[in-house]
């Protein structure tokens, strides 16, 4: 059960890697440096949260803020997904950071 709870911090990283791989295989787009930086931020955030550093969630907030900023720009997309996705990611990392803080505070 402990291994499953440690995997919880890497859920956004895993989901975005799968989505970007599918998009690359299908030929939808090429992965840019910005997207690689977001994946690295998700991974570092999961790693730090896994190690008990509650401030590790800050790295996960970086792509969330980038998504929310992207929603302010008109790109002609049919579905405006950036703002809800950014909010969901931000809330997720805030909750994870609070949980890690409470867990380490107890110890």
């Amino acid at each position: 059960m402990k291994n499953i709870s440690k995997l919880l911090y890497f859920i956004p990283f895993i989901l975005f890697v799968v989505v970007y791989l599918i998009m690359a295989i299908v030929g939808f787009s090429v992965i840019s440096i910005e997207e690689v930086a977001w994946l690295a931020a998700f991974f570092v955030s999961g790693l730090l949260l896994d190690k008990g550093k509650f401030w590790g969630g800050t790295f996960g907030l970086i792509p969330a803020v980038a998504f929310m900023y992207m929603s302010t720009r008109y790109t002609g997309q049919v579905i405006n997904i950036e703002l809800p996705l950014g909010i969901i990611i931000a809330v997720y990392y805030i909750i994870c950071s609070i949980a890690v803080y409470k867990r380490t505070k107890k110890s």
Side-chain angles (χ1 to χ4, degrees):
M1 185 68 178
K2 193 151 187 128
N3 290 336
I4 293 172
S5 66
K6 288 183 177 256
L7 185 65
L8 186 68
Y9 304 127
F10 293 98
I11 288 176
F13 172 71
I14 294 168
L15 289 176
F16 276 90
V17 165
V18 168
V19 168
Y20 286 140
L21 282 177
I22 289 171
M23 287 172 49
I25 290 171
V26 172
F28 185 69
S29 69
V30 178
I31 297 175
S32 68
I33 299 296
E34 184 178 71
E35 292 160 349
V36 171
W38 293 343
L39 289 175
F42 284 143
F43 182 75
V44 168
S45 179
L47 194 63
L48 290 172
L49 287 170
D50 184 37
K51 298 293 182 189
K53 310 291 185 196
F54 72 91
W55 48 268
T58 307
F59 289 100
L61 290 175
I62 294 169
V65 170
F67 279 127
M68 287 187 261
Y69 173 74
M70 284 175 20
S71 72
T72 64
R73 303 288 175 209
Y74 178 73
T75 59
Q77 285 180 271
V78 177
I79 301 171
N80 187 9
I81 192 71
E82 285 99 356
L83 183 61
L85 187 61
I87 291 171
I88 290 169
I89 293 169
V91 169
Y92 177 80
Y93 278 110
I94 290 169
I95 290 171
C96 285
S97 295
I98 290 170
V100 169
Y101 179 76
K102 286 185 177 183
R103 184 172 37 122
T104 55
K105 189 81 167 168
K106 237 188 251 187
S107 301

